[in-house]
Amino acid sequence: MAELRKKWEDLKRVSLLSAAHLRALTFTASSRGTKLPLLSLRWRLFLDVLPIEHFGQDDSECQQVWTLAADRERQNYAALKAQYIVDLSAQARNETDWKRMNPLSLDEDSPWHQYHKDQELRTTILQDVTRTFPDEPYFRQPRVQRLMADMLFVYAKMHSNLQYRQGMHELLAPLLMAVDRDAVETGEFPAVLLDRKFVEHDAFALFERLMRMCMAWYQTPPIVSPSKARHSSAAHTPIIAQCQMLLDKLMAVDPELATHLQEMDIEPQLFGIRWYRLLFSREFTRLRDVFALWDMVLADSAAGTLRLVDWIGVVLLVANRRLLLHGDYEDNLTTLLHLPPLPRPAAETLEQTPALPNTPLSPKSVTFPALDIPVSAPKIPFAALTQPGTLPIQRLALQAAHLRGRPTKEAALLVARQYEMWEEETWDVIDDVDTSMHAIYDESSESAASNDSGVPGPTSAASVPISAPVHGRKMYTSSTLQQRRANGSTMYGMSTSPQSLPSSPPRMTGAPPSSEHLVRVASVLSPGETLLSLGSATAQATGIAAQCLDMLAAQPHGDKQKAETIASCLHAVSRIWQDEVVRLSDQQSGAVASKRRPQGMAESELRRILRQLDSIYVDVSNNAALNAL
């Protein structure tokens, strides 16, 4: 209870007892080294489950108003649950009309008729609930799945015209997880707001408020006959109109990119429906990124709308501008459905990044899109964009807020230039395209990490410098890796000095190396044109892998599974490069290689590898930060 009280006092202190400042802090807290506590409580304030205007007032007044509001929401959900989730076996014991209570009755007035229909609905809901965030153990718990199924069922029964739609479970999941993590045993204020007995009730209140703003995106057009299809208004359903608005806003700030997508017949609903309905929860591999993004989206919400969502979509398109302008239909669709990870520029690169102006444009100076900044919207300090501590997902939201305030071509060009600068770190590997680009990967073993007595021991953290701070990631050049080997840097106790290198680079063909033989130095040699044709994905993959291994080496016990995954990824990168060398040789010699896979497939596979390595990097860097503490 004392810990909860401290979190509450910390939240009031960092927000300066101001609701507006609390909203703005969600964009900038990490850049100041501050972690905002009580996520679910903040979301209840942002979504008006608890009246936010009372934040910062005396605790006694907050307690009275917020406790009353929380009790009202909890009683409302309890009543709904009692109304829609009925135990028919208990009713049957007190029923005298056995014909009406016959489970086999086909009479529409029979409670069993409705019960069987409800069971079909629950089965549909459970199929989605059991697939929710499959890599997150929290959602594999039977208790959590039961809570989610009950809440979604109650919501579907409340809204019989909408019912349940696929995707709603992915909106509910982060809300429930946030409430459950903050829950405590009942006690004095503010514990009464986070009572563990009411996790389901409080999560439902959040979900119902969020769905008020997202409901239109789940509406589907009515089924019409083919003869009437031409005159149907299906093309004007809210979600299609919202996706078209996204493209219209992109057209206003980046007409070249928007026109290119139109000319390639890439309809915005192909990717926009998932973006809107799931609030980008599928576009980022880690739930912590989803939490951070939703925190800013909800903090910025006003007048019952999520006004930042459109501009987040615009920034995601601008961020991948280079790929989209130079890709074909399949490549671009793959990019939009499987977005590359957001870049994590190093501190020195951020220092050179052009800053975002803090002053929004005058509404009179913009014709379209109209400035949609509500009076209550937080005043966002855009200077946080170039702070090393700012998360990549927060930079994305800052850029979205900037474009919303300045929807001009110049502003979009500035954002595009920022991403180009951050990606240019990757191209540092092209110091000399005739030089081999090296990637190191290895695995700790008892013999490698043992001391003189033969007893396995941890590798000294001091023996392996971490190549980059947790917030930044500098790419490795071939000269950088050669210098590291010359300095005698170690990997899990195995020297990487020049004399330990093989005389010729091994060819990585066939199956990935086993865990017993993962100590390798792999050289991937390719002509300069191959590197340029594949873009920055290959350089990012090798650079991220090298940094992950540096940080793994600095940890006391390493991580065998992660090292094996990195080895497999680098093996796949090597295979792709070898295929590309042969493909380019065939092109230069005029040979026909009909069985050779297209270049677009290589780029797509590299993006998949990059996403996997990026996920490992986040895990390893967070562990490194914890060990540093």
Side-chain angles (χ1 to χ4, degrees):
M1 201 62 63
E3 182 182 358
L4 174 61
R5 189 68 195 179
K6 182 179 183 300
K7 290 180 179 179
W8 172 243
E9 295 299 331
D10 287 345
L11 185 63
K12 292 194 297 182
R13 176 179 53 81
V14 298
S15 63
L16 306 178
L17 300 177
S18 165
H21 194 64
L22 178 63
R23 291 179 183 271
L25 268 178
T26 60
F27 290 83
T28 61
S30 65
S31 67
R32 306 178 183 184
T34 303
K35 182 179 180 180
L36 292 178
L38 304 177
L39 178 67
S40 67
L41 183 60
R42 298 202 312 273
W43 286 2
R44 290 162 76 184
L45 293 174
F46 297 153
L47 289 175
D48 203 32
V49 176
L50 304 176
I52 194 172
E53 60 268 18
H54 292 276
F55 179 78
Q57 298 180 0
D58 185 77
D59 274 6
S60 60
E61 183 173 349
C62 281
Q63 178 177 358
Q64 180 180 359
V65 176
W66 289 355
T67 302
L68 182 63
D71 288 344
R72 183 171 60 250
E73 295 290 345
R74 290 166 177 174
Q75 292 170 8
N76 178 57
Y77 177 70
L80 290 170
K81 192 174 180 181
Q83 176 183 353
Y84 295 123
I85 301 180
V86 181
D87 184 3
L88 287 184
S89 60
Q91 286 188 12
R93 287 192 293 268
N94 302 321
E95 182 63 46
T96 57
D97 187 356
W98 290 103
K99 182 178 179 181
R100 178 175 176 273
M101 290 301 296
N102 184 357
L104 301 179
S105 174
L106 298 179
D107 188 353
E108 292 187 1
D109 294 333
S110 171
W112 285 99
H113 177 76
Q114 184 61 48
Y115 174 81
H116 293 310
K117 291 179 63 177
D118 290 347
Q119 287 303 109
E120 293 178 5
L121 174 61
R122 291 186 71 91
T123 300
T124 301
I125 291 173
L126 279 170
Q127 286 176 349
D128 287 343
V129 166
T130 54
R131 295 195 294 260
T132 304
F133 295 109
D135 296 330
E136 179 54 57
Y138 174 79
F139 296 106
R140 307 279 70 77
Q141 301 177 42
R143 163 186 165 269
V144 172
Q145 294 180 357
R146 176 181 56 80
L147 292 180
M148 290 185 63
D150 284 351
M151 285 186 278
L152 291 169
F153 177 78
V154 169
Y155 183 84
K157 296 290 289 183
M158 281 177 62
H159 302 275
S160 56
N161 58 332
L162 181 65
Q163 295 193 340
Y164 170 77
R165 293 285 183 267
Q166 192 174 43
M168 291 182 181
H169 64 296
E170 296 199 33
L171 286 186
L172 173 62
L175 302 176
L176 174 60
M177 190 175 189
V179 173
D180 208 4
R181 283 183 171 180
D182 287 341
V184 296
E185 300 302 327
T186 187
E188 299 179 355
F189 182 83
V192 66
L193 301 175
L194 304 171
D195 193 335
R196 195 178 303 279
K197 296 192 300 291
F198 298 104
V199 165
E200 182 180 359
H201 305 68
D202 296 341
F204 181 83
L206 277 173
F207 177 68
E208 196 274 332
R209 287 297 202 286
L210 181 60
M211 280 302 300
R212 290 183 188 181
M213 294 182 277
C214 301
M215 182 185 293
W217 300 341
Y218 282 91
Q219 293 176 356
T220 56
I223 299 176
V224 296
S225 62
S227 61
K228 298 180 180 179
R230 180 177 300 179
H231 306 288
S232 171
S233 60
H236 303 289
T237 53
I239 184 60
I240 301 300
Q242 193 74 37
C243 293
Q244 186 58 48
M245 178 61 70
L246 169 64
L247 187 61
D248 292 343
K249 290 183 177 180
L250 179 66
M251 182 68 74
V253 299
D254 193 341
E256 181 184 4
L257 178 57
T259 302
H260 179 70
L261 294 178
Q262 285 182 328
E263 291 176 347
M264 300 191 72
D265 291 329
I266 296 180
E267 299 289 343
Q269 56 266 31
L270 292 177
F271 54 90
I273 289 179
R274 190 175 77 183
W275 289 6
Y276 283 107
R277 285 184 174 174
L278 305 185
L279 284 183
F280 304 100
S281 62
R282 285 274 189 91
E283 313 317 312
F284 306 100
T285 57
R286 302 195 59 82
L287 263 179
R288 68 189 65 182
D289 289 334
V290 177
F291 283 139
L293 182 65
W294 283 24
D295 201 16
M296 294 176 284
V297 168
L298 299 183
D300 189 78
S301 63
T305 57
L306 302 173
R307 305 203 175 219
L308 199 61
V309 171
D310 288 342
W311 293 105
I312 290 174
V314 172
V315 172
L316 286 175
L317 294 170
V318 172
N320 293 283
R321 190 176 193 274
R322 183 185 300 178
L323 280 174
L324 295 173
L325 287 178
H326 295 89
D328 58 19
Y329 180 89
E330 292 184 1
D331 287 343
N332 286 349
L333 202 56
T334 299
T335 297
L336 293 169
L337 295 178
H338 305 282
L339 293 171
L342 295 173
R344 290 186 176 88
E348 55 266 33
T349 305
L350 289 172
E351 291 177 359
Q352 303 172 13
T353 300
L356 299 175
N358 263 330
T359 306
L361 295 178
S362 167
K364 296 181 180 179
S365 63
V366 180
T367 56
F368 179 85
L371 290 180
D372 52 357
I373 306 178
V375 176
S376 59
K379 294 182 179 179
I380 302 169
F382 293 110
L385 180 86
T386 56
Q387 297 299 315
T390 302
L391 302 175
I393 199 74
Q394 290 177 318
R395 293 193 182 96
L396 172 72
L398 285 168
Q399 291 164 327
H402 169 68
L403 283 183
R404 185 188 60 184
R406 302 178 71 88
T408 63
K409 297 176 185 178
E410 294 75 16
L413 185 62
L414 176 61
V415 170
R417 177 54 186 154
Q418 288 171 341
Y419 279 102
E420 287 178 4
M421 285 189 63
W422 299 338
E423 290 176 0
E424 281 171 3
E425 282 187 342
T426 301
W427 294 92
D428 289 344
V429 298
I430 316 177
D431 288 329
D432 183 355
V433 295
D434 294 326
T435 303
S436 300
M437 183 172 63
H438 299 277
I440 304 174
Y441 61 98
D442 55 88
E443 172 60 43
S444 60
S445 61
E446 291 186 359
S447 60
S450 61
N451 51 31
D452 294 337
S453 62
V455 179
T459 303
S460 171
S463 65
V464 185
I466 295 180
S467 305
V470 172
H471 59 262
R473 180 165 60 214
K474 283 296 290 182
M475 300 298 104
Y476 279 80
T477 64
S478 55
S479 59
T480 304
L481 295 176
Q482 292 286 3
Q483 182 62 42
R484 287 170 49 77
R485 286 192 281 269
N487 292 337
S489 300
T490 60
M491 291 285 187
Y492 290 102
M494 181 67 70
S495 173
T496 57
S497 57
Q499 58 267 27
S500 67
L501 294 177
S503 57
S504 61
R507 289 186 59 82
M508 298 173 59
T509 58
S514 62
S515 58
E516 292 79 14
H517 303 284
L518 283 176
V519 181
R520 295 284 190 274
V521 178
S523 294
V524 183
L525 178 61
S526 174
E529 60 267 27
T530 304
L531 181 61
L532 293 171
S533 70
L534 290 180
S536 63
T538 299
Q540 285 189 13
T542 53
I544 295 171
Q547 288 200 24
C548 286
L549 290 164
D550 268 2
M551 288 186 284
L552 281 174
Q555 294 179 10
H557 304 292
D559 192 315
K560 179 178 179 179
Q561 183 176 3
K562 284 187 173 63
E564 287 179 341
T565 303
I566 293 171
S568 298
C569 289
L570 288 173
H571 174 268
V573 171
S574 176
R575 174 175 50 80
I576 292 171
W577 276 71
Q578 291 169 16
D579 284 355
E580 287 300 302
V581 170
V582 176
R583 187 182 67 82
L584 288 174
S585 298
D586 290 343
Q587 288 180 350
Q588 293 172 356
S589 63
V592 178
S594 58
K595 296 183 179 180
R596 185 71 51 191
R597 63 181 174 183
Q599 180 181 338
M601 186 178 296
E603 294 173 348
S604 175
E605 188 170 352
L606 281 171
R607 284 194 290 269
R608 178 189 61 77
I609 294 171
L610 185 58
R611 289 171 66 90
Q612 188 173 10
L613 288 171
D614 192 76
S615 178
I616 295 175
Y617 174 85
V618 173
D619 277 340
V620 174
S621 60
N622 287 335
N623 291 337
L626 291 175
N627 292 334
L629 296 176

